[in-house]
Amino acid sequence: MRTSIFTTGLALASLAASGCQPQQKKQPEKPNILFIMTDDHSYQTLSAYDNRYINTPNLDRIANDGVIFSNSFVANSICAPSRAVMLTGKHSHANGQIDNSTAFDGSQQTFPKILRQNGYQTALIGKWHLKSDPTGFDYWNILPGQGSYYNPDFIEMGENKRHEGYVTDLTTDFGIEWIENRNKEKPFCLLLHHKAAHRVWMPDTAHLKEFADTTFPLPETFYDDYEGRKAAQEQNLSIRTDDMDVVYDLKMADKEGDIQTRLSEAYRHGAYARLNDAQKKSWDDHYDPIIEDFKQANLSGKELNEWKFQRYMRDYLATIRSLDNNIGKLLDYLDKEGLLDNTLVVYTSDQGFYMGEHGWFDKRFIYEESFRTPLLMHFPEGYQRAGEIPEMVQNIDYAPTFLDIAGIEIPEDMHGKSLLPLMDSKPDKNWRDALYYHYYEFPNEHMVKRHYGIRTDRYKLIHFYYDIDQWELYDLEKDPRELNNLIDSPEYQEEIVSLRKQLKELMLKYDDQKALRIFEGELVVTE
């Protein structure tokens, strides 16, 4: 096991400070771990990465006081699989959670179990979305399924309770309450998982008007025609069609019932119905004039497309505002209690998200906006590196990192690598030079084809399969928006051979035998 940087740094800091500092509250020798994960938070809407759309000063505090990973990615861009990857440190084929349809096998090895076995208190609060009860936690209090934005149910250690309020506030408050009442003689690991910013993007009533007068720039690829990309042509992620529902997604539920859509009743009898009387008044006061203007305008074509984009952005970003405020509340609490100096604070999302790029919302594709995810870390005292970390990291790396910082040996069967060596002043020469990705959830509502692929610092090679057999290649240096499929370009054939070899090596390394058989043409998947 590698000697921990944390142990050495803490010892030096303690020697320097002994006898001359005010007495501090007793802290466990091992660092606490606070892992904050949101749902569908795009890196484009976190101002430490991109300040075009929103300023997120509280989230930026984590980056400003620590590190920001500029090349952070997921292994399978969909909710349940991403959570299983995070827990196990293994790709989807190895942990068994390949899509959202099955229950997570809670009997398998996870990093919370290992931490708990080594003296940590462990807790999970917020979105779980893995269909089985959480295991490896001293305490859990989870949202059923996707959860609700307003007056949500939480399942606390098996008991279902409804709570009045807004889900982002409640999740944060429950997290602070657990930290406050924990056994302070032990280090803790808290997984705080927010519902925001998942569809259907219901803002807190306090932030309904936050972006009401803002007009957002249309992405350059909003009117992408998907030439040469068959899988992109056949998806159901489009803002420009009824994939994005004007009632269910954009709240145009008029009282007269004139606007009826494919998903309108799901909104009226689901998300909207959970509002209490006071919440409904604030909600209606905000949306009713917008609905009336929408009906009067009778938009179509380009005007409708771009109106939908603006409405989507305003609601989505208002949920991010609540999220950022709550992160500030949580950081302030940790600071006040003297916990920040001995706590690893991690912020990420379960995957990336489309903010109108290619005309889309949602995720799933290996294309950059979906594949990338924000990752910010505030390290305990003793870690000196700050700023940008450019190496390619993936959510398979979280579990090994948490074990490493706790001084626990990393199991050999984990696919990921600890990120702690990247905190050294010198780059890790043995760090990975390519990422492996595999998405399985097809057919389903959004109809993104099954695919696997490889990404290096410059290139991305993808194979779409199942009811399709299409390869795509992108030169990310020349074509960062991934518009030009180069798979048939003569000048790239040598690079394609090399990438295919690397892709096969990754399949062998991670033992993805089924994908390997598809890659070799030995298996045609049809079910």
Side-chain angles (χ1 to χ4, degrees):
M1 182 179 66
R2 190 178 60 81
T3 301
S4 172
I5 306 168
F6 173 80
T7 304
T8 304
L10 181 60
L12 292 172
S14 298
L15 286 171
S18 61
C20 60
Q21 294 294 328
Q23 187 174 0
Q24 299 295 315
K25 292 183 180 180
K26 183 179 179 182
Q27 297 293 345
E29 290 185 3
K30 290 187 175 183
N32 305 307
I33 299 167
L34 174 57
F35 179 74
I36 308 165
M37 184 164 71
T38 49
D39 198 316
D40 295 343
H41 187 187
S42 60
Y43 67 89
Q44 307 96 294
T45 56
L46 200 164
S47 54
Y49 287 95
D50 187 338
N51 61 10
R52 289 176 298 163
Y53 301 127
I54 187 173
N55 183 36
T56 52
N58 294 299
L59 285 165
D60 293 357
R61 282 168 62 184
I62 302 175
N64 294 338
D65 294 340
V67 295
I68 178 170
F69 291 84
S70 56
N71 284 293
S72 167
F73 299 87
V74 297
N76 181 358
S77 183
I78 188 69
C79 292
S82 190
R83 293 162 196 275
V85 167
M86 174 271 297
L87 287 167
T88 63
K90 299 176 183 178
H91 281 278
S92 301
H93 66 276
N95 66 50
Q97 192 75 42
I98 64 170
D99 56 32
N100 281 336
S101 65
T102 57
F104 178 67
D105 175 10
S107 69
Q108 66 184 297
Q109 170 187 276
T110 63
F111 81 81
K113 288 183 181 178
I114 298 173
L115 288 174
R116 193 181 184 199
Q117 291 162 5
N118 285 271
Y120 272 74
Q121 298 168 89
T122 57
L124 166 69
I125 295 171
K127 182 171 176 178
W128 173 239
H129 200 244
L130 286 171
K131 295 192 174 181
S132 58
D133 285 346
T135 57
F137 298 97
D138 295 296
Y139 174 81
W140 51 272
N141 191 9
I142 61 173
L143 294 164
Q146 292 288 358
S148 301
Y149 274 103
Y150 279 89
N151 310 317
D153 293 343
F154 277 80
I155 306 172
E156 184 178 16
M157 302 294 286
E159 182 180 354
N160 195 313
K161 300 178 183 178
R162 181 165 294 194
H163 299 268
E164 287 286 306
Y166 188 66
V167 69
T168 309
D169 298 337
L170 290 166
T171 302
T172 304
D173 290 346
F174 293 157
I176 291 174
E177 182 181 0
W178 183 83
I179 296 173
E180 183 69 24
N181 294 304
R182 75 195 190 283
N183 177 355
K184 294 181 174 61
E185 298 300 314
K186 289 185 174 184
F188 70 80
C189 175
L190 170 60
L191 277 57
L192 193 67
H193 290 183
H194 283 282
K195 172 183 173 60
H198 195 278
R199 193 182 188 188
V200 292
W201 318 295
M202 294 183 74
D204 185 350
T205 54
H207 299 295
L208 285 170
K209 298 187 183 302
E210 178 92 13
F211 299 96
D213 298 323
T214 305
T215 299
F216 297 97
L218 203 67
E220 291 181 27
T221 61
F222 186 75
Y223 286 107
D224 186 358
D225 63 5
Y226 318 122
E227 182 182 356
R229 291 160 283 148
K230 183 175 176 62
Q233 295 168 15
E234 297 184 0
Q235 46 63 41
N236 289 344
L237 305 177
S238 181
I239 295 172
R240 296 161 9 204
T241 70
D242 63 4
D243 297 345
M244 176 168 277
D245 191 286
V246 296
V247 176
Y248 182 73
D249 292 311
L250 305 179
K251 329 300 188 299
M252 298 297 101
D254 63 325
K255 299 298 186 295
E256 299 79 14
D258 294 335
I259 305 175
Q260 294 294 328
T261 64
R262 176 174 60 94
L263 297 174
S264 58
E265 294 309 299
Y267 170 77
R268 288 187 169 98
H269 299 299
Y272 179 78
R274 293 192 74 94
L275 300 170
N276 62 32
D277 290 344
Q279 292 162 349
K280 279 183 179 175
K281 184 179 186 312
S282 297
W283 195 264
D284 292 346
D285 286 349
H286 176 70
Y287 282 104
D288 281 355
I290 299 172
I291 293 169
E292 188 57 35
D293 288 346
F294 175 70
K295 290 173 70 173
Q296 291 294 324
N298 194 27
L299 301 172
S300 62
K302 183 178 179 181
E303 288 185 333
L304 177 60
N305 295 339
E306 296 179 14
W307 177 91
K308 289 172 71 177
F309 168 74
Q310 298 297 335
R311 277 256 39 90
Y312 164 50
M313 293 292 288
R314 288 165 186 161
D315 284 350
Y316 179 99
L317 290 170
T319 69
I320 299 299
R321 174 59 63 224
S322 294
L323 178 65
D324 186 68
N325 289 345
N326 274 275
I327 297 301
K329 179 179 179 180
L330 181 58
L331 293 175
D332 288 345
Y333 169 79
L334 295 173
D335 194 23
K336 181 173 81 67
E337 294 299 313
L339 290 168
L340 272 178
D341 287 346
N342 196 41
T343 301
L344 171 67
V345 180
V346 179
Y347 180 84
T348 191
S349 177
D350 54 356
Q351 60 258 326
F353 214 66
Y354 291 104
M355 309 308 305
E357 298 89 359
H358 305 286
W360 295 338
F361 67 103
D362 206 70
K363 57 265 184 179
R364 302 166 194 268
F365 277 112
I366 193 176
Y367 304 139
E368 291 291 282
E369 293 85 359
S370 169
F371 190 22
R372 283 183 178 269
T373 191
L375 181 61
L376 314 174
M377 291 190 181
H378 161 88
F379 278 85
E381 281 190 344
Y383 291 94
Q384 301 305 317
R385 185 167 181 182
E388 179 186 352
I389 305 292
E391 286 86 352
M392 290 189 295
V393 304
Q394 203 165 20
N395 55 354
I396 55 173
D397 300 325
Y398 301 165
T401 302
F402 301 154
L403 297 179
D404 196 14
I405 202 168
I408 301 168
E409 188 170 357
I410 300 166
E412 291 183 1
D413 62 348
M414 284 189 174
H415 293 159
K417 301 173 67 173
S418 170
L419 300 176
L420 296 194
L422 301 182
M423 297 305 108
D424 292 334
S425 57
K426 295 181 180 178
D428 182 355
K429 295 180 180 179
N430 296 319
W431 197 255
R432 66 170 65 91
D433 58 4
L435 298 169
Y436 180 62
Y437 180 91
H438 197 161
Y439 171 82
Y440 304 80
E441 193 170 285
F442 176 89
N444 89 325
E445 175 189 359
H446 291 296
M447 299 302 282
V448 172
K449 309 292 188 182
R450 299 184 193 190
H451 59 288
Y452 52 75
I454 181 174
R455 187 199 193 278
T456 67
D457 61 345
R458 178 168 177 175
Y459 296 105
K460 188 180 294 179
L461 181 69
I462 314 165
H463 181 209
F464 292 95
Y465 68 91
Y466 184 82
D467 67 338
I468 186 175
D469 183 13
Q470 298 285 322
W471 287 83
E472 296 180 3
L473 172 72
Y474 297 97
D475 183 337
L476 300 173
E477 184 178 291
K478 296 181 178 179
D479 179 26
R481 295 179 181 84
E482 299 168 293
L483 298 173
N484 185 19
N485 178 12
L486 300 168
I487 200 66
D488 295 322
S489 174
E491 65 183 285
Y492 285 91
Q493 294 310 302
E494 186 174 332
E495 190 63 49
I496 291 170
V497 171
S498 176
L499 287 166
R500 284 178 62 91
K501 180 181 177 183
Q502 278 186 279
L503 177 56
K504 182 177 179 179
E505 288 171 353
L506 288 177
M507 290 176 175
L508 290 168
K509 176 181 179 179
Y510 298 129
D511 196 28
D512 193 349
Q513 291 296 323
K514 190 171 184 178
L516 186 60
R517 291 176 64 198
I518 297 168
F519 175 83
E520 298 282 18
E522 298 173 3
L523 178 65
V524 178
V525 180
T526 57
E527 61 181 32

